[in-house]
Amino acid sequence: MTHTDWPLWEVFVRSRRGLSHTHAGSLHAPDAELALRNARDLYTRRGEGVSIWVVPSSAVTASSPDEKDPFFEPSADKPYRHPTFYEIPEGVQHL
Amino acid sequence: MATAAARDTAGSPTAYEAPAGPGDTDAFQRAFDAAVAADERIEPRDWMPDAYRATLVRQIAQHAHSEIIGMQPEANWITRAPSLRRKAILMAKVQDEAGHGLYLYSAAETLGVSRDELLDKLHAGRQKYSSIFNYPTLTWADVGAIGWLVDGAAITNQVPLCRCSYGPYARAMVRICKEESFHQRQGYELLLALSKGTPEQHAMAQDAVDRWWWPSLMMFGPPDDESQHSAQSMAWKIKRHSNDELRQRFVDICVPQAESLGLTLPDPDLQWNEERGHYDFGAIDWSEFWDVLKGNGPCNEQRLSRRRQAHQDGAWVREAAAAHAAKHSDDTTGATRA
């Protein structure tokens, strides 16, 4: 049996105008054009999308799961970045 | 910052740091156990026990193979569908099954196995698919019975898998379950049309239900006390309900549906048990189940040889596409940039 070893692509679908593309899944295809066609057949059989991006999986750079605590730690200790941090007298409107 | 690909849905899960010693393994195991206990999802690059990975590969591959092999019994009737409407519906359904197989192969690949490896194992008979597809589709009514009963049993099995502890598998199941509902309803509608048709059509519908009922009940797997993988899979939250629990749920759903169809289920022991709040049903012939599983069903050989043939017949397409891609690898493709 011949093995083709087609590269893997990540598929992003914009479900309708005004929304961003979101990750739908992945598939194998020999090139970008066929990846797009396969993505259309695989991820938009019921009108789920108006636009598709395909990206070679090998082109994605990811943060490591092992680093997740130190890597995201700086955002965890700054409650003053949230509007709920501030006390506003009752009755003050539009704030 | 790791430079490895994200591979959230597919690819090799090699990016996590392998434990350096037994002490580390314990820490990884504790983190894994805690995540499962907290109902968090395990993602491809997380550390996971080898047995958890192997169980998922076995189950997801078997599930993917079932979707692909499952195209055959129904595709058998595409050319003989009684109307253009039914033909279009059946083609869309069979195409969905192919799609479901692809979602699942992608999910399996996130565990570090390749697509080719999985297909090789299917073709060599080293990985299984659901035994239900080793039964023949003898009449048009079988298309309806498959949609109602086989897809109905699959949905009962699959809805809890949407909450499976392994993220990519759970996400694939969400997509699949959304699409399965059409499969079940078209089957039910088809059977209803036959049941309300001529006496011959009604008899055909009844015959199909008679043949598919018991194999559908077997789809939930062996009884809980004989199911070798169940306990561990439940502990890992891959499985959320036992085989017998899901089987009972399916029976309870089907009985009133059969009444609305004007058809009977081929089980004289089927009756409502007020005390249990469930339908009692007759004993399942497990010797038939094990026999079909061993390869002695009516269509085991036919299904596998057809699959191998289809793969061989498609070889020139795969080769041509690869050659075209290599030839134009320097071009910008027909697609425009985002």
Side-chain angles (χ1 to χ4, degrees):
Chain A
M1 228 28 99
T2 54
H3 287 172
T4 42
D5 213 16
W6 286 349
L8 193 66
W9 302 77
E10 300 301 326
V11 179
F12 298 81
V13 175
R14 184 203 292 283
S15 55
R16 57 185 164 87
R17 296 178 67 83
L19 296 179
S20 55
H21 288 73
T22 47
H23 189 239
S26 57
L27 50 75
H28 289 274
D31 58 30
E33 197 178 345
L34 276 173
L36 269 183
R37 285 175 182 276
N38 290 355
R40 179 200 59 186
D41 292 346
L42 191 55
Y43 291 107
T44 63
R45 286 197 300 282
R46 289 174 173 77
E48 294 96 330
V50 294
S51 167
I52 300 175
W53 293 345
V54 289
V55 180
S57 304
S58 59
V60 178
T61 303
S63 62
S64 158
D66 298 334
E67 292 180 70
K68 69 180 168 194
D69 289 340
F71 190 68
F72 294 108
E73 190 269 336
S75 76
D77 61 354
K78 296 177 183 61
Y80 45 85
R81 281 186 166 152
H82 297 279
T84 47
F85 181 75
Y86 302 93
E87 281 182 32
I88 304 295
E90 234 169 270
V92 178
Q93 293 191 328
H94 306 300
L95 197 70
Chain B
M1 182 80 73
T3 49
R7 303 284 166 83
D8 266 348
T9 64
S12 74
T14 51
Y16 72 82
E17 296 290 320
D24 283 350
T25 310
D26 288 350
F28 279 116
Q29 179 76 51
R30 276 196 302 276
F32 171 87
D33 291 343
V36 170
D39 254 340
E40 280 178 24
R41 297 292 175 264
I42 305 300
E43 295 295 342
R45 297 195 303 153
D46 293 339
W47 183 90
M48 62 188 88
D50 289 344
Y52 176 83
R53 187 186 299 277
T55 296
L56 281 168
V57 169
R58 193 194 67 244
Q59 181 172 338
I60 302 173
Q62 180 170 331
H63 199 159
H65 298 331
S66 301
E67 300 283 356
I68 299 298
I69 296 285
M71 296 167 75
Q72 291 183 39
E74 293 184 281
N76 179 36
W77 283 93
I78 288 176
T79 55
R80 290 168 290 165
S83 70
L84 189 55
R85 176 178 183 269
R86 294 286 177 200
K87 187 173 188 164
I89 290 169
L90 187 53
M91 283 197 292
K93 179 181 191 294
V94 173
Q95 191 192 12
D96 271 358
E97 306 298 359
H100 296 175
L102 295 179
Y103 305 153
L104 288 162
Y105 283 126
S106 283
E109 283 176 276
T110 64
L111 294 158
V113 290
S114 76
R115 184 83 51 111
D116 284 336
E117 186 183 336
L118 296 175
L119 287 176
D120 282 351
K121 284 185 175 160
L122 169 64
H123 296 152
R126 284 165 54 212
Q127 279 177 343
K128 294 195 183 332
Y129 55 87
S130 176
S131 279
I132 192 79
F133 301 116
N134 290 320
Y135 291 87
T137 42
L138 301 178
T139 72
W140 168 252
D142 287 29
V143 172
I146 288 179
W148 175 41
L149 295 175
V150 175
D151 289 311
I155 291 171
T156 307
N157 256 329
Q158 288 169 352
V159 167
L161 285 174
C162 296
R163 295 187 298 121
C164 158
S165 61
Y166 188 57
Y169 192 27
R171 289 191 287 275
M173 292 320 304
V174 170
R175 293 191 71 89
I176 290 173
C177 285
K178 271 188 203 164
E179 299 180 353
E180 287 285 355
S181 150
F182 132 60
H183 297 178
Q184 196 188 16
R185 289 174 68 116
Q186 66 82 34
Y188 193 84
E189 190 206 63
L190 193 166
L191 280 179
L192 189 63
L194 289 176
S195 177
K196 292 186 165 174
T198 64
E200 289 80 5
Q201 287 173 324
H202 181 89
M204 187 196 274
Q206 184 62 59
D207 168 65
V209 169
D210 289 348
R211 281 182 289 109
W212 288 95
W213 173 249
W214 290 107
S216 298
L217 293 191
M218 294 177 199
M219 285 176 68
F220 296 93
D224 293 346
D225 48 8
E226 290 170 37
S227 176
Q228 55 175 129
H229 304 297
S230 275
Q232 180 61 73
S233 287
M234 300 265 281
W236 279 328
K237 296 189 183 172
I238 295 173
K239 228 177 137 82
R240 297 277 182 166
H241 307 279
S242 79
N243 294 353
D244 287 331
E245 196 182 337
L246 291 169
R247 187 164 18 241
Q248 179 71 61
R249 187 180 296 177
F250 178 67
V251 171
D252 291 345
I253 289 171
C254 285
V255 174
Q257 290 178 347
E259 281 167 17
S260 297
L261 278 174
L263 298 173
T264 58
L265 297 170
D267 180 356
D269 296 328
L270 198 61
Q271 62 174 6
W272 178 251
N273 182 325
E274 189 68 51
E275 205 174 306
R276 291 202 309 126
H278 293 289
Y279 284 92
D280 289 336
F281 55 97
I284 294 172
D285 179 5
W286 290 107
S287 62
E288 175 183 324
F289 174 80
W290 295 115
D291 204 38
V292 177
L293 199 68
K294 265 185 237 148
N296 302 323
C299 300
N300 295 56
E301 242 168 78
Q302 181 190 335
R303 299 293 184 234
L304 214 47
S305 71
R306 179 75 197 96
R307 174 86 270 283
R308 289 194 202 103
Q309 189 62 44
H311 194 67
Q312 267 167 23
D313 291 350
W316 71 271
V317 179
R318 295 192 295 277
E319 281 159 20
H324 182 269
K327 194 172 164 188
H328 296 277
S329 58
D330 297 334
D331 302 356
T332 49
T333 64
T336 50
R337 299 194 54 184

